[in-house]
Amino acid sequence: MNRSILFVPLAFTLIAAAAPPARHPDGVADAALRATPVFDGHNDVPEQLRDRRKDVLEGFDFHDTRNTGDETKGVPPMMTDLARMRNGRVGAQFWSVYVSANLPEPQAVQATLEQIDVMRRLIARYPADMQFCTDARCVEASWKAGRIASLIGMEGGHSIGGSLAVLRQMHALGARYMTLTHFRNTAWADSATDAPSHDGLTPFGEKVVREMHRLGMLVDLAHVSEATMRDVLTLEGPPPMVSHSNARAINGHARNVSDDTLRLIGTRGGIVMVNFYPPYVMEAARQWSASREAEVARLKALHRGAPEVETAALAKWDKANPMPRGSIADVADHLDHIARLIGADHVGLGGDLDGVDATIAGLDDVSCYPALFSELARRGWSQADLEKLSSRNMLRVMREAEGFAQAHRADAPLENETTF
């Protein structure tokens, strides 16, 4: 953690000689981030390494990735690097080993192994800056050593190929959470963005969740349907996490969490980590996204057999209709809503950086977290609550999962029959 980065508070105006001066919001935010650096729940650097570099690290400089874009191809620079993580006061990161849910499951398993491998290789290349961690104790030790604690999260249950044995091996390689679905259903759990197939979890899906609990692997409810969330929340076990989703009361996207389910998550001691992608944050951006999808379908129908015409027409539409990006205040609204509804003990940050093509304005990359903390401090968030948001809540959830696994260490692994 870089302790040389300071925020200089503005001069105070004395209201009364006997009253102590109020702390400036930037000072409150700075104090919170000094005490507990940001522990972000979801960053897609592994996906960028795969898409941009085919997982080849030779010649890649993670100290500074601002030159990784290519304007001629419409490729923006990456949002994450070590220098900007230091500026953003990031002390711990769950790196998402996402692979496409369109892959056949055997290929998804291989691709996930490759993503774990490339991220572990990247961490090992920067021993002065990063430390591979699998538990809360390591995270705190990493901070004390001035390194960024680096953990692995799997995004999508297709990555285990319907096998509890594969799940256990992913855990052995260091994966410490798994998002149960991505944008498509699995054979055992419903996604938020697919037509329901199971009304939540199947019996095998329940077995997956129970085996994750036994292992001490966090169950991530981002991307899953409300029915799947409720099924998970009825099972005995440690608190769940939602690694990168928002409040549906503010934005009606299916990826967001309803107030009723938020209350259940709070009752179970879980954490909801707020996302920075405009269509999940702002209702206007969600409506824009729906309009763009409709335009894509219209242009495809109009220009059948002429993909170059279709592409040019969509580019013209995009230029005339830019996505609304909102502001930091829009993200703060989600955090305010969740904290008021279920308490500041249940909020976190999962920016989804390098996993989206646009962010809320002002949260453009990993250097921008302090600005969000200052906004929340201006709204009256205390230093103690900001510390919960930054790291303390995530550490608590991890410790409870680790404690549950320790208490059940004598339990036999759950089994399922092999399929080929």
Side-chain angles (χ1 to χ4, degrees), residues 42-48 50-51 95-103 108 111-112 115-116 152-156 158-159 179 181-183 223 244 352 354-355:
H42 194 91
N43 182 294
D44 279 288
V45 158
E47 179 186 1
Q48 297 300 319
R50 187 177 190 87
D51 289 349
W95 303 105
S96 170
V97 290
Y98 161 80
V99 301
S100 174
N102 288 323
L103 289 174
T112 301
Q115 294 307 94
I116 292 174
I152 300 295
M154 297 167 60
E155 189 174 15
H158 56 292
S159 295
T179 319
T181 69
H182 197 253
F183 69 90
H223 284 287
H244 59 304
D352 209 2
D354 274 313

PDB file of all heavy atoms in Angstrom, residues 42-48 50-51 95-103 108 111-112 115-116 152-156 158-159 179 181-183 223 244 352 354-355:
ATOM      1  N   HIS A  42     -14.217  -7.739  -7.886  1.00  0.00           N
ATOM      2  CA  HIS A  42     -14.313  -8.270  -9.253  1.00  0.00           C
ATOM      3  C   HIS A  42     -13.559  -7.383 -10.233  1.00  0.00           C
ATOM      4  O   HIS A  42     -13.961  -6.254 -10.505  1.00  0.00           O
ATOM      5  CB  HIS A  42     -15.779  -8.365  -9.682  1.00  0.00           C
ATOM      6  CG  HIS A  42     -15.994  -9.183 -10.904  1.00  0.00           C
ATOM      7  ND1 HIS A  42     -16.262 -10.535 -10.861  1.00  0.00           N
ATOM      8  CD2 HIS A  42     -15.961  -8.859 -12.212  1.00  0.00           C
ATOM      9  CE1 HIS A  42     -16.397 -10.992 -12.092  1.00  0.00           C
ATOM     10  NE2 HIS A  42     -16.222  -9.991 -12.937  1.00  0.00           N
ATOM     11  N   ASN A  43     -12.478  -7.914 -10.795  1.00  0.00           N
ATOM     12  CA  ASN A  43     -11.708  -7.226 -11.833  1.00  0.00           C
ATOM     13  C   ASN A  43     -11.336  -8.260 -12.890  1.00  0.00           C
ATOM     14  O   ASN A  43     -10.907  -9.375 -12.565  1.00  0.00           O
ATOM     15  CB  ASN A  43     -10.456  -6.588 -11.236  1.00  0.00           C
ATOM     16  CG  ASN A  43      -9.647  -5.814 -12.266  1.00  0.00           C
ATOM     17  OD1 ASN A  43      -9.103  -6.396 -13.199  1.00  0.00           O
ATOM     18  ND2 ASN A  43      -9.532  -4.507 -12.088  1.00  0.00           N
ATOM     19  N   ASP A  44     -11.481  -7.885 -14.174  1.00  0.00           N
ATOM     20  CA  ASP A  44     -11.351  -8.838 -15.275  1.00  0.00           C
ATOM     21  C   ASP A  44     -10.032  -8.745 -16.031  1.00  0.00           C
ATOM     22  O   ASP A  44      -9.991  -9.031 -17.232  1.00  0.00           O
ATOM     23  CB  ASP A  44     -12.510  -8.641 -16.245  1.00  0.00           C
ATOM     24  CG  ASP A  44     -13.782  -9.318 -15.771  1.00  0.00           C
ATOM     25  OD1 ASP A  44     -13.833 -10.559 -15.812  1.00  0.00           O
ATOM     26  OD2 ASP A  44     -14.713  -8.617 -15.347  1.00  0.00           O
ATOM     27  N   VAL A  45      -8.952  -8.402 -15.371  1.00  0.00           N
ATOM     28  CA  VAL A  45      -7.644  -8.430 -16.034  1.00  0.00           C
ATOM     29  C   VAL A  45      -7.362  -9.777 -16.700  1.00  0.00           C
ATOM     30  O   VAL A  45      -6.838  -9.813 -17.823  1.00  0.00           O
ATOM     31  CB  VAL A  45      -6.516  -8.036 -15.054  1.00  0.00           C
ATOM     32  CG1 VAL A  45      -5.153  -8.554 -15.513  1.00  0.00           C
ATOM     33  CG2 VAL A  45      -6.444  -6.517 -14.924  1.00  0.00           C
ATOM     34  N   PRO A  46      -7.696 -10.935 -16.076  1.00  0.00           N
ATOM     35  CA  PRO A  46      -7.419 -12.194 -16.773  1.00  0.00           C
ATOM     36  C   PRO A  46      -8.094 -12.288 -18.142  1.00  0.00           C
ATOM     37  O   PRO A  46      -7.498 -12.818 -19.090  1.00  0.00           O
ATOM     38  CB  PRO A  46      -7.965 -13.258 -15.804  1.00  0.00           C
ATOM     39  CG  PRO A  46      -7.879 -12.614 -14.460  1.00  0.00           C
ATOM     40  CD  PRO A  46      -8.185 -11.161 -14.702  1.00  0.00           C
ATOM     41  N   GLU A  47      -9.315 -11.769 -18.247  1.00  0.00           N
ATOM     42  CA  GLU A  47      -9.996 -11.761 -19.548  1.00  0.00           C
ATOM     43  C   GLU A  47      -9.232 -10.905 -20.556  1.00  0.00           C
ATOM     44  O   GLU A  47      -9.091 -11.272 -21.735  1.00  0.00           O
ATOM     45  CB  GLU A  47     -11.421 -11.238 -19.387  1.00  0.00           C
ATOM     46  CG  GLU A  47     -12.200 -11.173 -20.684  1.00  0.00           C
ATOM     47  CD  GLU A  47     -13.554 -10.515 -20.537  1.00  0.00           C
ATOM     48  OE1 GLU A  47     -13.904 -10.081 -19.427  1.00  0.00           O
ATOM     49  OE2 GLU A  47     -14.264 -10.424 -21.555  1.00  0.00           O
ATOM     50  N   GLN A  48      -8.723  -9.758 -20.104  1.00  0.00           N
ATOM     51  CA  GLN A  48      -7.949  -8.902 -21.001  1.00  0.00           C
ATOM     52  C   GLN A  48      -6.676  -9.595 -21.466  1.00  0.00           C
ATOM     53  O   GLN A  48      -6.276  -9.482 -22.637  1.00  0.00           O
ATOM     54  CB  GLN A  48      -7.609  -7.586 -20.308  1.00  0.00           C
ATOM     55  CG  GLN A  48      -8.811  -6.743 -19.943  1.00  0.00           C
ATOM     56  CD  GLN A  48      -9.632  -6.354 -21.164  1.00  0.00           C
ATOM     57  OE1 GLN A  48      -9.089  -6.011 -22.212  1.00  0.00           O
ATOM     58  NE2 GLN A  48     -10.947  -6.420 -21.028  1.00  0.00           N
ATOM     59  N   ARG A  50      -6.261 -12.714 -21.885  1.00  0.00           N
ATOM     60  CA  ARG A  50      -6.638 -13.731 -22.867  1.00  0.00           C
ATOM     61  C   ARG A  50      -7.006 -13.093 -24.209  1.00  0.00           C
ATOM     62  O   ARG A  50      -6.533 -13.516 -25.260  1.00  0.00           O
ATOM     63  CB  ARG A  50      -7.819 -14.551 -22.334  1.00  0.00           C
ATOM     64  CG  ARG A  50      -8.184 -15.751 -23.201  1.00  0.00           C
ATOM     65  CD  ARG A  50      -9.318 -16.557 -22.569  1.00  0.00           C
ATOM     66  NE  ARG A  50      -9.503 -17.824 -23.266  1.00  0.00           N
ATOM     67  CZ  ARG A  50      -8.846 -18.936 -22.978  1.00  0.00           C
ATOM     68  NH1 ARG A  50      -7.942 -18.941 -22.013  1.00  0.00           N
ATOM     69  NH2 ARG A  50      -9.066 -20.045 -23.652  1.00  0.00           N
ATOM     70  N   ASP A  51      -7.867 -12.067 -24.167  1.00  0.00           N
ATOM     71  CA  ASP A  51      -8.363 -11.471 -25.406  1.00  0.00           C
ATOM     72  C   ASP A  51      -7.287 -10.697 -26.151  1.00  0.00           C
ATOM     73  O   ASP A  51      -7.219 -10.740 -27.389  1.00  0.00           O
ATOM     74  CB  ASP A  51      -9.537 -10.535 -25.099  1.00  0.00           C
ATOM     75  CG  ASP A  51     -10.785 -11.291 -24.676  1.00  0.00           C
ATOM     76  OD1 ASP A  51     -10.812 -12.524 -24.810  1.00  0.00           O
ATOM     77  OD2 ASP A  51     -11.735 -10.635 -24.186  1.00  0.00           O
ATOM     78  N   TRP A  95      -9.365 -11.346  -8.639  1.00  0.00           N
ATOM     79  CA  TRP A  95      -9.203 -11.362 -10.089  1.00  0.00           C
ATOM     80  C   TRP A  95     -10.173 -12.398 -10.648  1.00  0.00           C
ATOM     81  O   TRP A  95     -10.153 -13.560 -10.266  1.00  0.00           O
ATOM     82  CB  TRP A  95      -7.768 -11.702 -10.465  1.00  0.00           C
ATOM     83  CG  TRP A  95      -6.761 -10.756  -9.873  1.00  0.00           C
ATOM     84  CD1 TRP A  95      -5.921 -10.996  -8.830  1.00  0.00           C
ATOM     85  CD2 TRP A  95      -6.498  -9.414 -10.304  1.00  0.00           C
ATOM     86  NE1 TRP A  95      -5.150  -9.888  -8.571  1.00  0.00           N
ATOM     87  CE2 TRP A  95      -5.475  -8.901  -9.454  1.00  0.00           C
ATOM     88  CE3 TRP A  95      -7.023  -8.593 -11.309  1.00  0.00           C
ATOM     89  CZ2 TRP A  95      -4.975  -7.608  -9.591  1.00  0.00           C
ATOM     90  CZ3 TRP A  95      -6.515  -7.308 -11.444  1.00  0.00           C
ATOM     91  CH2 TRP A  95      -5.504  -6.825 -10.597  1.00  0.00           C
ATOM     92  N   SER A  96     -11.019 -11.980 -11.575  1.00  0.00           N
ATOM     93  CA  SER A  96     -12.056 -12.846 -12.118  1.00  0.00           C
ATOM     94  C   SER A  96     -11.506 -13.691 -13.258  1.00  0.00           C
ATOM     95  O   SER A  96     -11.039 -13.152 -14.270  1.00  0.00           O
ATOM     96  CB  SER A  96     -13.226 -11.997 -12.631  1.00  0.00           C
ATOM     97  OG  SER A  96     -14.127 -12.786 -13.363  1.00  0.00           O
ATOM     98  N   VAL A  97     -11.562 -15.019 -13.106  1.00  0.00           N
ATOM     99  CA  VAL A  97     -11.139 -15.903 -14.192  1.00  0.00           C
ATOM    100  C   VAL A  97     -12.385 -16.307 -14.988  1.00  0.00           C
ATOM    101  O   VAL A  97     -12.869 -17.423 -14.917  1.00  0.00           O
ATOM    102  CB  VAL A  97     -10.338 -17.115 -13.669  1.00  0.00           C
ATOM    103  CG1 VAL A  97      -8.987 -16.655 -13.165  1.00  0.00           C
ATOM    104  CG2 VAL A  97     -11.052 -17.864 -12.553  1.00  0.00           C
ATOM    105  N   TYR A  98     -12.873 -15.339 -15.751  1.00  0.00           N
ATOM    106  CA  TYR A  98     -14.064 -15.512 -16.578  1.00  0.00           C
ATOM    107  C   TYR A  98     -13.703 -16.194 -17.892  1.00  0.00           C
ATOM    108  O   TYR A  98     -12.692 -15.862 -18.527  1.00  0.00           O
ATOM    109  CB  TYR A  98     -14.701 -14.151 -16.873  1.00  0.00           C
ATOM    110  CG  TYR A  98     -15.638 -14.160 -18.047  1.00  0.00           C
ATOM    111  CD1 TYR A  98     -16.934 -14.640 -17.911  1.00  0.00           C
ATOM    112  CD2 TYR A  98     -15.224 -13.709 -19.303  1.00  0.00           C
ATOM    113  CE1 TYR A  98     -17.805 -14.670 -18.982  1.00  0.00           C
ATOM    114  CE2 TYR A  98     -16.087 -13.730 -20.390  1.00  0.00           C
ATOM    115  CZ  TYR A  98     -17.370 -14.212 -20.228  1.00  0.00           C
ATOM    116  OH  TYR A  98     -18.222 -14.247 -21.297  1.00  0.00           O
ATOM    117  N   VAL A  99     -14.561 -17.130 -18.315  1.00  0.00           N
ATOM    118  CA  VAL A  99     -14.527 -17.655 -19.679  1.00  0.00           C
ATOM    119  C   VAL A  99     -15.959 -17.687 -20.187  1.00  0.00           C
ATOM    120  O   VAL A  99     -16.913 -17.755 -19.408  1.00  0.00           O
ATOM    121  CB  VAL A  99     -13.884 -19.059 -19.762  1.00  0.00           C
ATOM    122  CG1 VAL A  99     -12.454 -19.021 -19.244  1.00  0.00           C
ATOM    123  CG2 VAL A  99     -14.695 -20.104 -19.009  1.00  0.00           C
ATOM    124  N   SER A 100     -16.132 -17.640 -21.496  1.00  0.00           N
ATOM    125  CA  SER A 100     -17.462 -17.505 -22.079  1.00  0.00           C
ATOM    126  C   SER A 100     -18.369 -18.668 -21.714  1.00  0.00           C
ATOM    127  O   SER A 100     -17.975 -19.840 -21.797  1.00  0.00           O
ATOM    128  CB  SER A 100     -17.358 -17.398 -23.600  1.00  0.00           C
ATOM    129  OG  SER A 100     -18.658 -17.397 -24.175  1.00  0.00           O
ATOM    130  N   ALA A 101     -19.608 -18.345 -21.365  1.00  0.00           N
ATOM    131  CA  ALA A 101     -20.614 -19.372 -21.088  1.00  0.00           C
ATOM    132  C   ALA A 101     -21.080 -20.065 -22.357  1.00  0.00           C
ATOM    133  O   ALA A 101     -21.805 -21.063 -22.287  1.00  0.00           O
ATOM    134  CB  ALA A 101     -21.809 -18.741 -20.368  1.00  0.00           C
ATOM    135  N   ASN A 102     -20.659 -19.565 -23.542  1.00  0.00           N
ATOM    136  CA  ASN A 102     -20.990 -20.227 -24.800  1.00  0.00           C
ATOM    137  C   ASN A 102     -20.074 -21.411 -25.094  1.00  0.00           C
ATOM    138  O   ASN A 102     -20.360 -22.194 -25.996  1.00  0.00           O
ATOM    139  CB  ASN A 102     -20.896 -19.230 -25.960  1.00  0.00           C
ATOM    140  CG  ASN A 102     -22.036 -18.225 -25.948  1.00  0.00           C
ATOM    141  OD1 ASN A 102     -23.174 -18.564 -25.613  1.00  0.00           O
ATOM    142  ND2 ASN A 102     -21.747 -16.981 -26.293  1.00  0.00           N
ATOM    143  N   LEU A 103     -18.977 -21.536 -24.354  1.00  0.00           N
ATOM    144  CA  LEU A 103     -18.064 -22.651 -24.589  1.00  0.00           C
ATOM    145  C   LEU A 103     -18.685 -23.963 -24.128  1.00  0.00           C
ATOM    146  O   LEU A 103     -19.356 -24.009 -23.093  1.00  0.00           O
ATOM    147  CB  LEU A 103     -16.757 -22.440 -23.823  1.00  0.00           C
ATOM    148  CG  LEU A 103     -15.801 -21.352 -24.321  1.00  0.00           C
ATOM    149  CD1 LEU A 103     -14.644 -21.194 -23.342  1.00  0.00           C
ATOM    150  CD2 LEU A 103     -15.269 -21.701 -25.707  1.00  0.00           C
ATOM    151  N   ALA A 108     -14.620 -25.016 -21.398  1.00  0.00           N
ATOM    152  CA  ALA A 108     -14.690 -24.002 -20.344  1.00  0.00           C
ATOM    153  C   ALA A 108     -13.786 -24.378 -19.175  1.00  0.00           C
ATOM    154  O   ALA A 108     -13.128 -23.515 -18.582  1.00  0.00           O
ATOM    155  CB  ALA A 108     -16.134 -23.837 -19.865  1.00  0.00           C
ATOM    156  N   ALA A 111     -10.218 -23.642 -20.316  1.00  0.00           N
ATOM    157  CA  ALA A 111      -9.972 -22.200 -20.388  1.00  0.00           C
ATOM    158  C   ALA A 111      -9.866 -21.594 -18.987  1.00  0.00           C
ATOM    159  O   ALA A 111      -9.061 -20.683 -18.757  1.00  0.00           O
ATOM    160  CB  ALA A 111     -11.084 -21.513 -21.181  1.00  0.00           C
ATOM    161  N   THR A 112     -10.657 -22.096 -18.045  1.00  0.00           N
ATOM    162  CA  THR A 112     -10.575 -21.589 -16.673  1.00  0.00           C
ATOM    163  C   THR A 112      -9.228 -21.930 -16.051  1.00  0.00           C
ATOM    164  O   THR A 112      -8.612 -21.093 -15.383  1.00  0.00           O
ATOM    165  CB  THR A 112     -11.725 -22.161 -15.822  1.00  0.00           C
ATOM    166  OG1 THR A 112     -12.970 -21.781 -16.418  1.00  0.00           O
ATOM    167  CG2 THR A 112     -11.672 -21.625 -14.402  1.00  0.00           C
ATOM    168  N   GLN A 115      -6.815 -19.525 -17.348  1.00  0.00           N
ATOM    169  CA  GLN A 115      -6.952 -18.196 -16.760  1.00  0.00           C
ATOM    170  C   GLN A 115      -6.372 -18.151 -15.347  1.00  0.00           C
ATOM    171  O   GLN A 115      -5.762 -17.156 -14.955  1.00  0.00           O
ATOM    172  CB  GLN A 115      -8.419 -17.777 -16.753  1.00  0.00           C
ATOM    173  CG  GLN A 115      -9.016 -17.578 -18.144  1.00  0.00           C
ATOM    174  CD  GLN A 115      -8.187 -16.630 -18.996  1.00  0.00           C
ATOM    175  OE1 GLN A 115      -7.330 -17.064 -19.771  1.00  0.00           O
ATOM    176  NE2 GLN A 115      -8.412 -15.353 -18.847  1.00  0.00           N
ATOM    177  N   ILE A 116      -6.578 -19.202 -14.584  1.00  0.00           N
ATOM    178  CA  ILE A 116      -5.944 -19.270 -13.261  1.00  0.00           C
ATOM    179  C   ILE A 116      -4.432 -19.260 -13.415  1.00  0.00           C
ATOM    180  O   ILE A 116      -3.714 -18.550 -12.705  1.00  0.00           O
ATOM    181  CB  ILE A 116      -6.410 -20.517 -12.492  1.00  0.00           C
ATOM    182  CG1 ILE A 116      -7.893 -20.386 -12.115  1.00  0.00           C
ATOM    183  CG2 ILE A 116      -5.571 -20.729 -11.226  1.00  0.00           C
ATOM    184  CD1 ILE A 116      -8.485 -21.628 -11.478  1.00  0.00           C
ATOM    185  N   ILE A 152      -8.258 -15.279  -6.387  1.00  0.00           N
ATOM    186  CA  ILE A 152      -8.897 -15.762  -7.603  1.00  0.00           C
ATOM    187  C   ILE A 152     -10.378 -15.995  -7.348  1.00  0.00           C
ATOM    188  O   ILE A 152     -10.776 -16.651  -6.389  1.00  0.00           O
ATOM    189  CB  ILE A 152      -8.258 -17.092  -8.067  1.00  0.00           C
ATOM    190  CG1 ILE A 152      -6.757 -16.911  -8.361  1.00  0.00           C
ATOM    191  CG2 ILE A 152      -8.985 -17.643  -9.292  1.00  0.00           C
ATOM    192  CD1 ILE A 152      -6.441 -16.000  -9.499  1.00  0.00           C
ATOM    193  N   GLY A 153     -11.218 -15.457  -8.251  1.00  0.00           N
ATOM    194  CA  GLY A 153     -12.646 -15.756  -8.256  1.00  0.00           C
ATOM    195  C   GLY A 153     -13.044 -16.304  -9.614  1.00  0.00           C
ATOM    196  O   GLY A 153     -12.612 -15.794 -10.646  1.00  0.00           O
ATOM    197  N   MET A 154     -13.858 -17.364  -9.632  1.00  0.00           N
ATOM    198  CA  MET A 154     -14.330 -17.967 -10.885  1.00  0.00           C
ATOM    199  C   MET A 154     -15.688 -17.376 -11.238  1.00  0.00           C
ATOM    200  O   MET A 154     -16.582 -17.320 -10.389  1.00  0.00           O
ATOM    201  CB  MET A 154     -14.463 -19.481 -10.731  1.00  0.00           C
ATOM    202  CG  MET A 154     -13.166 -20.193 -10.454  1.00  0.00           C
ATOM    203  SD  MET A 154     -13.457 -21.904  -9.904  1.00  0.00           S
ATOM    204  CE  MET A 154     -14.318 -22.580 -11.324  1.00  0.00           C
ATOM    205  N   GLU A 155     -15.851 -16.970 -12.488  1.00  0.00           N
ATOM    206  CA  GLU A 155     -17.105 -16.325 -12.897  1.00  0.00           C
ATOM    207  C   GLU A 155     -17.907 -17.250 -13.806  1.00  0.00           C
ATOM    208  O   GLU A 155     -17.763 -17.226 -15.020  1.00  0.00           O
ATOM    209  CB  GLU A 155     -16.835 -14.992 -13.596  1.00  0.00           C
ATOM    210  CG  GLU A 155     -18.120 -14.202 -13.822  1.00  0.00           C
ATOM    211  CD  GLU A 155     -17.888 -12.819 -14.377  1.00  0.00           C
ATOM    212  OE1 GLU A 155     -16.785 -12.537 -14.862  1.00  0.00           O
ATOM    213  OE2 GLU A 155     -18.837 -12.013 -14.324  1.00  0.00           O
ATOM    214  N   GLY A 156     -18.746 -18.067 -13.186  1.00  0.00           N
ATOM    215  CA  GLY A 156     -19.651 -18.910 -13.956  1.00  0.00           C
ATOM    216  C   GLY A 156     -19.482 -20.379 -13.651  1.00  0.00           C
ATOM    217  O   GLY A 156     -18.384 -20.942 -13.778  1.00  0.00           O
ATOM    218  N   HIS A 158     -20.371 -22.905 -15.289  1.00  0.00           N
ATOM    219  CA  HIS A 158     -19.976 -23.742 -16.424  1.00  0.00           C
ATOM    220  C   HIS A 158     -18.503 -24.125 -16.347  1.00  0.00           C
ATOM    221  O   HIS A 158     -18.068 -25.084 -16.979  1.00  0.00           O
ATOM    222  CB  HIS A 158     -20.268 -23.010 -17.733  1.00  0.00           C
ATOM    223  CG  HIS A 158     -19.632 -21.662 -17.857  1.00  0.00           C
ATOM    224  ND1 HIS A 158     -20.019 -20.578 -17.076  1.00  0.00           N
ATOM    225  CD2 HIS A 158     -18.637 -21.199 -18.652  1.00  0.00           C
ATOM    226  CE1 HIS A 158     -19.286 -19.527 -17.400  1.00  0.00           C
ATOM    227  NE2 HIS A 158     -18.441 -19.874 -18.348  1.00  0.00           N
ATOM    228  N   SER A 159     -17.741 -23.386 -15.528  1.00  0.00           N
ATOM    229  CA  SER A 159     -16.300 -23.610 -15.429  1.00  0.00           C
ATOM    230  C   SER A 159     -15.934 -24.902 -14.704  1.00  0.00           C
ATOM    231  O   SER A 159     -14.765 -25.295 -14.715  1.00  0.00           O
ATOM    232  CB  SER A 159     -15.639 -22.433 -14.707  1.00  0.00           C
ATOM    233  OG  SER A 159     -15.754 -21.249 -15.471  1.00  0.00           O
ATOM    234  N   THR A 179     -18.961 -17.636  -9.022  1.00  0.00           N
ATOM    235  CA  THR A 179     -20.252 -17.117  -9.426  1.00  0.00           C
ATOM    236  C   THR A 179     -21.022 -18.287 -10.029  1.00  0.00           C
ATOM    237  O   THR A 179     -20.517 -18.946 -10.937  1.00  0.00           O
ATOM    238  CB  THR A 179     -20.084 -15.997 -10.466  1.00  0.00           C
ATOM    239  OG1 THR A 179     -18.991 -15.156 -10.099  1.00  0.00           O
ATOM    240  CG2 THR A 179     -21.345 -15.183 -10.605  1.00  0.00           C
ATOM    241  N   THR A 181     -23.591 -18.753 -11.988  1.00  0.00           N
ATOM    242  CA  THR A 181     -23.881 -18.736 -13.426  1.00  0.00           C
ATOM    243  C   THR A 181     -23.225 -17.487 -14.019  1.00  0.00           C
ATOM    244  O   THR A 181     -22.762 -16.608 -13.296  1.00  0.00           O
ATOM    245  CB  THR A 181     -25.396 -18.660 -13.720  1.00  0.00           C
ATOM    246  OG1 THR A 181     -25.891 -17.375 -13.321  1.00  0.00           O
ATOM    247  CG2 THR A 181     -26.160 -19.751 -12.995  1.00  0.00           C
ATOM    248  N   HIS A 182     -23.246 -17.419 -15.364  1.00  0.00           N
ATOM    249  CA  HIS A 182     -22.963 -16.142 -16.020  1.00  0.00           C
ATOM    250  C   HIS A 182     -24.242 -15.743 -16.748  1.00  0.00           C
ATOM    251  O   HIS A 182     -25.312 -15.761 -16.140  1.00  0.00           O
ATOM    252  CB  HIS A 182     -21.735 -16.223 -16.928  1.00  0.00           C
ATOM    253  CG  HIS A 182     -21.200 -14.880 -17.284  1.00  0.00           C
ATOM    254  ND1 HIS A 182     -21.345 -14.324 -18.530  1.00  0.00           N
ATOM    255  CD2 HIS A 182     -20.564 -13.950 -16.534  1.00  0.00           C
ATOM    256  CE1 HIS A 182     -20.815 -13.105 -18.542  1.00  0.00           C
ATOM    257  NE2 HIS A 182     -20.338 -12.849 -17.346  1.00  0.00           N
ATOM    258  N   PHE A 183     -24.172 -15.360 -18.021  1.00  0.00           N
ATOM    259  CA  PHE A 183     -25.376 -14.829 -18.658  1.00  0.00           C
ATOM    260  C   PHE A 183     -26.325 -15.932 -19.131  1.00  0.00           C
ATOM    261  O   PHE A 183     -27.456 -15.654 -19.524  1.00  0.00           O
ATOM    262  CB  PHE A 183     -25.011 -13.904 -19.830  1.00  0.00           C
ATOM    263  CG  PHE A 183     -24.404 -14.600 -21.016  1.00  0.00           C
ATOM    264  CD1 PHE A 183     -25.200 -15.092 -22.035  1.00  0.00           C
ATOM    265  CD2 PHE A 183     -23.032 -14.751 -21.126  1.00  0.00           C
ATOM    266  CE1 PHE A 183     -24.641 -15.727 -23.138  1.00  0.00           C
ATOM    267  CE2 PHE A 183     -22.466 -15.377 -22.217  1.00  0.00           C
ATOM    268  CZ  PHE A 183     -23.273 -15.882 -23.225  1.00  0.00           C
ATOM    269  N   HIS A 223     -25.080 -12.330 -11.197  1.00  0.00           N
ATOM    270  CA  HIS A 223     -25.505 -12.998 -12.438  1.00  0.00           C
ATOM    271  C   HIS A 223     -26.613 -14.034 -12.252  1.00  0.00           C
ATOM    272  O   HIS A 223     -27.191 -14.460 -13.246  1.00  0.00           O
ATOM    273  CB  HIS A 223     -24.329 -13.659 -13.165  1.00  0.00           C
ATOM    274  CG  HIS A 223     -23.438 -12.710 -13.894  1.00  0.00           C
ATOM    275  ND1 HIS A 223     -23.807 -12.080 -15.063  1.00  0.00           N
ATOM    276  CD2 HIS A 223     -22.181 -12.281 -13.619  1.00  0.00           C
ATOM    277  CE1 HIS A 223     -22.818 -11.315 -15.479  1.00  0.00           C
ATOM    278  NE2 HIS A 223     -21.823 -11.408 -14.617  1.00  0.00           N
ATOM    279  N   HIS A 244     -20.523  -8.269  -7.938  1.00  0.00           N
ATOM    280  CA  HIS A 244     -20.583  -7.059  -8.769  1.00  0.00           C
ATOM    281  C   HIS A 244     -21.998  -6.850  -9.304  1.00  0.00           C
ATOM    282  O   HIS A 244     -22.281  -7.054 -10.467  1.00  0.00           O
ATOM    283  CB  HIS A 244     -19.543  -7.089  -9.898  1.00  0.00           C
ATOM    284  CG  HIS A 244     -19.637  -8.247 -10.857  1.00  0.00           C
ATOM    285  ND1 HIS A 244     -19.604  -9.560 -10.469  1.00  0.00           N
ATOM    286  CD2 HIS A 244     -19.750  -8.276 -12.215  1.00  0.00           C
ATOM    287  CE1 HIS A 244     -19.692 -10.342 -11.524  1.00  0.00           C
ATOM    288  NE2 HIS A 244     -19.795  -9.596 -12.594  1.00  0.00           N
ATOM    289  N   ASP A 352     -15.981  -4.257 -11.593  1.00  0.00           N
ATOM    290  CA  ASP A 352     -16.079  -4.886 -12.914  1.00  0.00           C
ATOM    291  C   ASP A 352     -15.149  -4.215 -13.912  1.00  0.00           C
ATOM    292  O   ASP A 352     -15.381  -4.278 -15.132  1.00  0.00           O
ATOM    293  CB  ASP A 352     -17.523  -4.853 -13.416  1.00  0.00           C
ATOM    294  CG  ASP A 352     -17.865  -6.008 -14.348  1.00  0.00           C
ATOM    295  OD1 ASP A 352     -16.996  -6.868 -14.579  1.00  0.00           O
ATOM    296  OD2 ASP A 352     -18.997  -6.047 -14.862  1.00  0.00           O
ATOM    297  N   ASP A 354     -12.174  -3.492 -16.399  1.00  0.00           N
ATOM    298  CA  ASP A 354     -11.592  -4.325 -17.450  1.00  0.00           C
ATOM    299  C   ASP A 354     -12.494  -5.486 -17.852  1.00  0.00           C
ATOM    300  O   ASP A 354     -12.085  -6.333 -18.641  1.00  0.00           O
ATOM    301  CB  ASP A 354     -10.185  -4.821 -17.080  1.00  0.00           C
ATOM    302  CG  ASP A 354      -9.114  -3.814 -17.466  1.00  0.00           C
ATOM    303  OD1 ASP A 354      -9.175  -3.322 -18.602  1.00  0.00           O
ATOM    304  OD2 ASP A 354      -8.249  -3.499 -16.643  1.00  0.00           O
ATOM    305  N   GLY A 355     -13.740  -5.485 -17.355  1.00  0.00           N
ATOM    306  CA  GLY A 355     -14.720  -6.454 -17.800  1.00  0.00           C
ATOM    307  C   GLY A 355     -15.873  -5.803 -18.529  1.00  0.00           C
ATOM    308  O   GLY A 355     -16.802  -6.490 -18.968  1.00  0.00           O
TER     309      GLY A 355
END
